Amino acid sequence: MRAAPAGPVDYLLRTSTVVDSEFELVYLAVTRLAQGAYPHARAALDAAHDAWTRAVLDEVGDPVVARAVVLISDGLYAHAALTSSPPATGAGTGGGPTSDAGTEEPLAFRAPRPGEDVDDLLTLVREVVAMRNARTTDGV
Amino acid sequence: MRAAPAGPVDYLLRTSTVVDSEFELVYLAVTRLAQGAYPHARAALDAAHDAWTRAVLDEVGDPVVARAVVLISDGLYAHAALTSSPPATGAGTGGGPTSDAGTEEPLAFRAPRPGEDVDDLLTLVREVVAMRNARTTDGV
């Protein structure tokens, strides 16, 4: 992650929308164990999150922004994990819309969907980092 | 949520760290169903997320910021859900730290923990909204 050409934040947010890799299978398994009563699984998850937070913090230089970035990554992952399994039971024929059907809703009113690109989020993070840096410089 | 005195963003982020309510039990159950092959559970979750995103968007006035806020909320919830169950199997005596033990690690290097207050995140969101609003005003 630290070796990623575009930096840790770019790497973390882009990989958080992918749940088909071997890593994600392991991560999901550890998450499920941690949801049970396995303190070591939970400790392993905490250690992984701390390492990610530290790498992000080194890039953005602000603990609150780093926390927000890691939470956004967790949110992206939660959404991606939710819809990673294929809709195996055929097209929905009953009442109510199936979420994977059309995407005709007005874009501005839609919640995040898995697989969506994260360029706008990365731009926002860069702006926030610049904003916080400018304030720090003002203070000197 | 729209009727919350401090606004939708405040309400969403603060309630995302609480997983002991009856609502959260229902939400978790629907999430588990959606992880399986239940398109209606998935559609219900998508509808809930869309409603939250819409309420947040009405407050912050910027789709990317609204998306980031909802993802932060999802991240907070994922963390809270992970450690909501009590560590039933007694204190960890084996190797490796148990995550619920001391909180002696250096604060700046820690990933988010459930139950932590979200005041710093709310302050950050307010700053980002002000930044984006200022830019819009500049453009006029």
mmCIF file of all heavy atoms in Angstrom, chain B residues 14-35:
data_model
loop_
_atom_site.group_PDB
_atom_site.id
_atom_site.type_symbol
_atom_site.label_atom_id
_atom_site.label_comp_id
_atom_site.label_asym_id
_atom_site.label_seq_id
_atom_site.Cartn_x
_atom_site.Cartn_y
_atom_site.Cartn_z
ATOM 1 N N ARG B 14 -23.873 10.222 14.555
ATOM 2 C CA ARG B 14 -23.942 9.831 15.964
ATOM 3 C C ARG B 14 -24.646 8.481 16.135
ATOM 4 O O ARG B 14 -24.236 7.658 16.954
ATOM 5 C CB ARG B 14 -24.677 10.899 16.788
ATOM 6 C CG ARG B 14 -23.847 12.156 16.964
ATOM 7 C CD ARG B 14 -24.412 13.090 18.035
ATOM 8 N NE ARG B 14 -23.787 14.412 17.927
ATOM 9 C CZ ARG B 14 -22.549 14.685 18.341
ATOM 10 N NH1 ARG B 14 -21.830 13.751 18.909
ATOM 11 N NH2 ARG B 14 -22.060 15.897 18.203
ATOM 12 N N THR B 15 -25.702 8.249 15.374
ATOM 13 C CA THR B 15 -26.433 6.991 15.559
ATOM 14 C C THR B 15 -25.698 5.818 14.917
ATOM 15 O O THR B 15 -25.998 4.668 15.223
ATOM 16 C CB THR B 15 -27.853 7.072 14.958
ATOM 17 O OG1 THR B 15 -27.769 7.489 13.598
ATOM 18 C CG2 THR B 15 -28.715 8.044 15.742
ATOM 19 N N SER B 16 -24.716 6.100 14.045
ATOM 20 C CA SER B 16 -23.998 5.011 13.376
ATOM 21 C C SER B 16 -23.029 4.299 14.312
ATOM 22 O O SER B 16 -22.495 3.257 13.968
ATOM 23 C CB SER B 16 -23.229 5.538 12.167
ATOM 24 O OG SER B 16 -24.138 5.974 11.174
ATOM 25 N N THR B 17 -22.769 4.877 15.475
ATOM 26 C CA THR B 17 -21.865 4.210 16.417
ATOM 27 C C THR B 17 -22.631 3.421 17.467
ATOM 28 O O THR B 17 -22.037 2.842 18.365
ATOM 29 C CB THR B 17 -20.955 5.229 17.124
ATOM 30 O OG1 THR B 17 -21.779 6.127 17.888
ATOM 31 C CG2 THR B 17 -20.153 6.041 16.126
ATOM 32 N N VAL B 18 -23.953 3.388 17.353
ATOM 33 C CA VAL B 18 -24.784 2.688 18.339
ATOM 34 C C VAL B 18 -25.386 1.457 17.683
ATOM 35 O O VAL B 18 -26.034 1.557 16.650
ATOM 36 C CB VAL B 18 -25.926 3.608 18.842
ATOM 37 C CG1 VAL B 18 -26.763 2.876 19.879
ATOM 38 C CG2 VAL B 18 -25.368 4.900 19.395
ATOM 39 N N VAL B 19 -25.135 0.296 18.249
ATOM 40 C CA VAL B 19 -25.696 -0.912 17.638
ATOM 41 C C VAL B 19 -26.516 -1.716 18.635
ATOM 42 O O VAL B 19 -26.740 -2.896 18.433
ATOM 43 C CB VAL B 19 -24.596 -1.823 17.055
ATOM 44 C CG1 VAL B 19 -24.031 -1.224 15.791
ATOM 45 C CG2 VAL B 19 -23.541 -2.097 18.073
ATOM 46 N N ASP B 20 -26.972 -1.072 19.695
ATOM 47 C CA ASP B 20 -27.714 -1.819 20.699
ATOM 48 C C ASP B 20 -29.218 -1.596 20.611
ATOM 49 O O ASP B 20 -29.976 -2.166 21.382
ATOM 50 C CB ASP B 20 -27.230 -1.418 22.104
ATOM 51 C CG ASP B 20 -25.772 -1.800 22.296
ATOM 52 O OD1 ASP B 20 -25.360 -2.809 21.698
ATOM 53 O OD2 ASP B 20 -25.070 -1.087 23.015
ATOM 54 N N SER B 21 -29.665 -0.789 19.674
ATOM 55 C CA SER B 21 -31.090 -0.491 19.609
ATOM 56 C C SER B 21 -31.833 -1.571 18.834
ATOM 57 O O SER B 21 -31.229 -2.399 18.143
ATOM 58 C CB SER B 21 -31.305 0.861 18.925
ATOM 59 O OG SER B 21 -30.941 0.767 17.568
ATOM 60 N N GLU B 22 -33.142 -1.535 18.947
ATOM 61 C CA GLU B 22 -33.978 -2.488 18.218
ATOM 62 C C GLU B 22 -33.830 -2.271 16.715
ATOM 63 O O GLU B 22 -33.780 -3.221 15.933
ATOM 64 C CB GLU B 22 -35.436 -2.304 18.640
ATOM 65 C CG GLU B 22 -36.304 -3.519 18.357
ATOM 66 C CD GLU B 22 -37.656 -3.393 19.032
ATOM 67 O OE1 GLU B 22 -37.700 -2.913 20.191
ATOM 68 O OE2 GLU B 22 -38.656 -3.742 18.406
ATOM 69 N N PHE B 23 -33.723 -1.002 16.318
ATOM 70 C CA PHE B 23 -33.540 -0.697 14.897
ATOM 71 C C PHE B 23 -32.309 -1.399 14.344
ATOM 72 O O PHE B 23 -32.333 -1.961 13.242
ATOM 73 C CB PHE B 23 -33.406 0.817 14.682
ATOM 74 C CG PHE B 23 -32.964 1.178 13.283
ATOM 75 C CD1 PHE B 23 -33.869 1.182 12.238
ATOM 76 C CD2 PHE B 23 -31.628 1.475 13.020
ATOM 77 C CE1 PHE B 23 -33.460 1.485 10.948
ATOM 78 C CE2 PHE B 23 -31.207 1.783 11.736
ATOM 79 C CZ PHE B 23 -32.130 1.784 10.698
ATOM 80 N N GLU B 24 -31.225 -1.376 15.120
ATOM 81 C CA GLU B 24 -29.972 -1.946 14.624
ATOM 82 C C GLU B 24 -30.093 -3.459 14.458
ATOM 83 O O GLU B 24 -29.494 -4.041 13.559
ATOM 84 C CB GLU B 24 -28.809 -1.604 15.564
ATOM 85 C CG GLU B 24 -28.579 -0.119 15.739
ATOM 86 C CD GLU B 24 -28.281 0.600 14.427
ATOM 87 O OE1 GLU B 24 -27.771 -0.055 13.507
ATOM 88 O OE2 GLU B 24 -28.578 1.794 14.331
ATOM 89 N N LEU B 25 -30.852 -4.092 15.337
ATOM 90 C CA LEU B 25 -31.059 -5.539 15.203
ATOM 91 C C LEU B 25 -31.765 -5.852 13.889
ATOM 92 O O LEU B 25 -31.383 -6.774 13.169
ATOM 93 C CB LEU B 25 -31.893 -6.068 16.382
ATOM 94 C CG LEU B 25 -31.129 -6.316 17.677
ATOM 95 C CD1 LEU B 25 -32.076 -6.759 18.774
ATOM 96 C CD2 LEU B 25 -30.040 -7.367 17.466
ATOM 97 N N VAL B 26 -32.786 -5.063 13.601
ATOM 98 C CA VAL B 26 -33.521 -5.260 12.343
ATOM 99 C C VAL B 26 -32.598 -4.983 11.155
ATOM 100 O O VAL B 26 -32.547 -5.749 10.184
ATOM 101 C CB VAL B 26 -34.758 -4.335 12.288
ATOM 102 C CG1 VAL B 26 -35.432 -4.421 10.922
ATOM 103 C CG2 VAL B 26 -35.739 -4.711 13.392
ATOM 104 N N TYR B 27 -31.840 -3.892 11.268
ATOM 105 C CA TYR B 27 -30.947 -3.500 10.175
ATOM 106 C C TYR B 27 -29.908 -4.595 9.906
ATOM 107 O O TYR B 27 -29.641 -4.960 8.757
ATOM 108 C CB TYR B 27 -30.254 -2.187 10.529
ATOM 109 C CG TYR B 27 -29.366 -1.640 9.432
ATOM 110 C CD1 TYR B 27 -29.913 -0.988 8.334
ATOM 111 C CD2 TYR B 27 -27.983 -1.780 9.497
ATOM 112 C CE1 TYR B 27 -29.112 -0.495 7.325
ATOM 113 C CE2 TYR B 27 -27.167 -1.295 8.491
ATOM 114 C CZ TYR B 27 -27.740 -0.648 7.413
ATOM 115 O OH TYR B 27 -26.934 -0.161 6.413
ATOM 116 N N LEU B 28 -29.351 -5.140 10.994
ATOM 117 C CA LEU B 28 -28.351 -6.197 10.857
ATOM 118 C C LEU B 28 -28.966 -7.440 10.213
ATOM 119 O O LEU B 28 -28.348 -8.085 9.355
ATOM 120 C CB LEU B 28 -27.789 -6.542 12.248
ATOM 121 C CG LEU B 28 -26.421 -7.216 12.301
ATOM 122 C CD1 LEU B 28 -25.374 -6.359 11.617
ATOM 123 C CD2 LEU B 28 -26.018 -7.468 13.749
ATOM 124 N N ALA B 29 -30.202 -7.757 10.611
ATOM 125 C CA ALA B 29 -30.882 -8.926 10.039
ATOM 126 C C ALA B 29 -31.096 -8.737 8.540
ATOM 127 O O ALA B 29 -30.839 -9.641 7.733
ATOM 128 C CB ALA B 29 -32.215 -9.149 10.745
ATOM 129 N N VAL B 30 -31.542 -7.546 8.153
ATOM 130 C CA VAL B 30 -31.770 -7.281 6.727
ATOM 131 C C VAL B 30 -30.439 -7.330 5.974
ATOM 132 O O VAL B 30 -30.357 -7.835 4.849
ATOM 133 C CB VAL B 30 -32.461 -5.910 6.538
ATOM 134 C CG1 VAL B 30 -32.611 -5.585 5.057
ATOM 135 C CG2 VAL B 30 -33.825 -5.914 7.209
ATOM 136 N N THR B 31 -29.372 -6.816 6.610
ATOM 137 C CA THR B 31 -28.050 -6.859 5.969
ATOM 138 C C THR B 31 -27.612 -8.295 5.724
ATOM 139 O O THR B 31 -27.104 -8.632 4.650
ATOM 140 C CB THR B 31 -27.008 -6.143 6.852
ATOM 141 O OG1 THR B 31 -27.433 -4.806 7.067
ATOM 142 C CG2 THR B 31 -25.649 -6.142 6.191
ATOM 143 N N ARG B 32 -27.823 -9.156 6.716
ATOM 144 C CA ARG B 32 -27.437 -10.559 6.554
ATOM 145 C C ARG B 32 -28.250 -11.226 5.446
ATOM 146 O O ARG B 32 -27.719 -12.014 4.663
ATOM 147 C CB ARG B 32 -27.633 -11.328 7.872
ATOM 148 C CG ARG B 32 -26.685 -10.928 8.975
ATOM 149 C CD ARG B 32 -25.261 -11.427 8.701
ATOM 150 N NE ARG B 32 -24.267 -10.695 9.477
ATOM 151 C CZ ARG B 32 -23.948 -10.958 10.749
ATOM 152 N NH1 ARG B 32 -24.512 -11.978 11.373
ATOM 153 N NH2 ARG B 32 -23.063 -10.230 11.394
ATOM 154 N N LEU B 33 -29.529 -10.900 5.380
ATOM 155 C CA LEU B 33 -30.359 -11.438 4.299
ATOM 156 C C LEU B 33 -29.849 -10.953 2.947
ATOM 157 O O LEU B 33 -29.784 -11.714 1.972
ATOM 158 C CB LEU B 33 -31.823 -11.021 4.483
ATOM 159 C CG LEU B 33 -32.604 -11.762 5.573
ATOM 160 C CD1 LEU B 33 -33.973 -11.129 5.759
ATOM 161 C CD2 LEU B 33 -32.750 -13.241 5.234
ATOM 162 N N ALA B 34 -29.461 -9.674 2.899
ATOM 163 C CA ALA B 34 -28.989 -9.103 1.635
ATOM 164 C C ALA B 34 -27.658 -9.720 1.213
ATOM 165 O O ALA B 34 -27.339 -9.761 0.025
ATOM 166 C CB ALA B 34 -28.846 -7.586 1.763
ATOM 167 N N GLN B 35 -26.882 -10.186 2.179
ATOM 168 C CA GLN B 35 -25.612 -10.845 1.849
ATOM 169 C C GLN B 35 -25.878 -12.195 1.190
ATOM 170 O O GLN B 35 -25.036 -12.736 0.492
ATOM 171 C CB GLN B 35 -24.744 -11.016 3.102
ATOM 172 C CG GLN B 35 -24.064 -9.724 3.529
ATOM 173 C CD GLN B 35 -23.350 -9.848 4.857
ATOM 174 O OE1 GLN B 35 -23.654 -10.720 5.659
ATOM 175 N NE2 GLN B 35 -22.403 -8.951 5.098
#
